[in-house]
Amino acid sequence: MMLSHSIEHGVLVITLHTDPGIGRRAALSQEITDLVHAYSPLPVVIVLDMPEVGSATVSAILRAQRMCHHLGVLMSVSTHSAATRRILEANCDTGGTRLVVHARTDVAIAAAFTAAA
């Protein structure tokens, strides 16, 4: 299973369990897109629950950020990896919209809930 999802405090939480690799990047992006559309306008937190994040995951996050920005849906990311946080913060910019990347999932969910209220 590449991802799972839940609703926590009015926030769509999408948890990525494995890096899809280049071959499954499009499928991952489509699954994220389908979930965001199904639960819109709920804010989204994408949790990276994997030891290492590859370029395919970063690419899917970038695509999700652009889509959420276009839809007016608040999106943030949670990852325990400081290196991954730096990569995402450096590369995720959509027309002036900065992607917020949290170290803790509970903080990301609380912040998304508060921002959407």
Side-chain angles (χ1 to χ4, degrees), residues 3 10 14 40 43 57 89 94 99 117:
L3 66 78
I14 301 172
S40 183
T57 297
E89 289 168 346
T94 303
L99 178 65

Side-chain angles (χ1 to χ4, degrees), residues 8-80:
E8 297 182 37
H9 305 289
V11 176
L12 172 60
V13 179
I14 301 172
T15 303
L16 306 183
H17 302 286
T18 60
D19 186 271
I22 296 301
R24 300 233 24 224
R25 177 181 56 192
L28 174 61
S29 290
Q30 188 60 55
E31 285 185 58
I32 293 170
T33 296
D34 292 347
L35 287 168
V36 170
H37 281 286
Y39 291 98
S40 183
L42 292 182
V44 178
V45 172
I46 297 179
V47 179
L48 304 178
D49 185 27
M50 58 190 82
E52 290 187 29
V53 174
S55 61
T57 297
V58 171
S59 175
I61 297 296
L62 289 168
R63 181 179 231 175
Q65 183 198 21
R66 287 190 300 273
M67 178 204 37
C68 286
H69 174 74
H70 177 72
L71 294 173
V73 171
L74 177 67
M75 183 189 122
S76 60
V77 175
S78 171
T79 178
H80 65 278

